[in-house]
Amino acid sequence: MKGKFTKIVAAAASCALVAAVGLSGCAGGASSSSSSASSSAASESSVELQVFAANSLEKAMNEVQSLYTEQTGVQFADTQYEASGTLNEMLAGGAYADALITASKATMDTAESSGYIDPASRFNMFTNDLVIVAGLNSDIETATLEDIASGNYTLAVGDANVPAGNYAKQSLTTTNPQCWISADGTVGADCSGKEGTFDGTPLEGKVTEGSSVGNVCQYANSGDVDLAMVYSSDVFRFGNVKNVGVTPADSHKNIVYPAAVCANSEYADETKAFLDWAFTSEDAIKIWQEWGFEIAAK
């Protein structure tokens, strides 16, 4: 009888152990499922986009990105602000980016032909004006391309990697006499503004070329040069310079800022969502306009 009782107790204990293990397994399964869902949510909220953007967008873009993070939780890596040509050079060197925003059609054309972007995602995001500026303490209050062509002023423009400099040189081919001679003889909007010379023009020996629009503005602000040619948005962005003239729109190519999702983006959908929001959100548009940018026609 004692042996039979012992077997019954042992069997009961075994069943209890099986039940405990089963419950533990179920609990473990629930925990695993919960952990998986939590991990998925964390993954979505930890999206971090790498943006490559033209120098002139820096201050406005920082505000726009902060607002987007506040509204969506999407984070941004250390956004790279460089001359548009330099951004393409970085991509050519293997740098990773999710979005590319350049300050000219030509630089985005290069990015597209080189396979750096998804062509289907490309669109024109902003427009801008090319203006003539002087330092805040300068006595110059107005200036035109004709004034520059007189040879009476020193000038700063961007170098070949700076789209604002390309547009400036395009405009300077339209003056009489010409102030910049393109290598292929083209002028105005037909000119790339990249290869050519100031030699033999009224500006020979009077031009300082900067590697960024920030440098160009600084040359004017410091008095190193009398005048500089930059975007209207740069007056808002950098301050310390004043707008003393606007170049004729037909003296250079249309100034547009194309945007696109990069071909190797790991977050293509999230990047497209950000660019769409930045282009259409009233809150974002207000920020762009405060910094002197106009949204391109849809």
Side-chain angles (χ1 to χ4, degrees):
M1 183 70 177
K2 182 178 178 181
K4 185 176 181 180
F5 178 76
T6 300
K7 290 179 181 180
I8 292 173
V9 172
S14 177
C15 287
L17 178 60
V18 169
V21 170
L23 288 173
S24 174
C26 289
S31 175
S32 175
S33 175
S34 174
S35 174
S36 176
S38 174
S39 175
S40 176
S43 176
E44 291 179 5
S45 64
S46 63
V47 169
E48 186 177 72
L49 303 181
Q50 177 66 69
V51 176
F52 277 19
N55 259 322
S56 50
L57 290 169
E58 182 174 2
K59 291 188 177 179
M61 179 64 78
N62 286 343
E63 289 189 19
V64 166
Q65 288 179 343
S66 293
L67 181 60
Y68 193 67
T69 297
E70 181 183 319
Q71 293 187 4
T72 68
V74 171
Q75 302 290 318
F76 293 89
D78 183 21
T79 298
Q80 297 300 298
Y81 299 106
E82 298 286 350
S84 298
T86 302
L87 294 175
N88 277 339
E89 291 173 0
M90 292 167 64
L91 292 172
Y96 174 87
D98 294 296
L100 175 66
I101 308 174
T102 68
S104 74
K105 175 181 180 298
T107 46
M108 189 61 80
D109 287 345
T110 298
E112 181 172 337
S113 63
S114 301
Y116 305 149
I117 64 162
D118 171 13
S121 70
R122 176 177 174 174
F123 67 100
N124 288 337
M125 198 167 186
F126 310 110
T127 61
N128 217 325
D129 294 316
L130 183 69
V131 298
I132 303 169
V133 300
L136 286 181
N137 296 323
S138 170
D139 294 332
I140 302 172
E141 296 298 332
T142 61
T144 65
L145 286 179
E146 289 68 30
D147 292 327
I148 293 173
S150 70
N152 293 328
Y153 300 98
T154 53
L155 180 71
V157 297
D159 64 23
N161 271 336
V162 181
N166 301 150
Y167 292 123
K169 291 165 187 171
Q170 290 164 18
S171 288
L172 293 170
T173 65
T174 67
T175 59
N176 186 18
Q178 277 185 265
C179 286
W180 193 77
I181 310 299
S182 62
D184 58 7
T186 54
V187 299
D190 294 326
C191 173
S192 71
K194 288 183 175 294
E195 296 180 1
T197 182
F198 292 104
D199 293 346
T201 78
L203 291 181
E204 182 174 354
K206 298 181 179 181
V207 178
T208 301
E209 295 189 61
S211 60
S212 70
V213 286
N215 289 340
V216 173
C217 284
Q218 180 57 33
Y219 294 142
N221 173 49
S222 65
D224 289 342
V225 298
D226 300 313
L227 299 169
M229 298 175 73
V230 295
Y231 295 136
S232 59
S233 58
D234 295 325
V235 179
F236 293 86
R237 178 185 173 205
F238 293 107
N240 296 322
V241 291
K242 58 185 178 182
N243 185 342
V244 296
V246 180
T247 62
D250 61 359
S251 69
H252 53 74
K253 297 181 189 296
N254 291 331
I255 300 176
V256 295
Y257 285 63
V261 178
C262 290
N264 295 328
S265 172
E266 297 175 3
Y267 298 110
D269 290 343
E270 292 86 349
T271 302
K272 184 179 185 303
F274 166 65
L275 292 176
D276 288 346
W277 174 88
F279 185 62
T280 60
S281 163
E282 290 185 4
D283 291 336
I285 291 173
K286 182 179 179 181
I287 293 173
W288 298 125
Q289 291 177 337
E290 286 175 350
W291 286 102
F293 295 97
E294 291 297 328
I295 295 295
K298 295 181 176 63

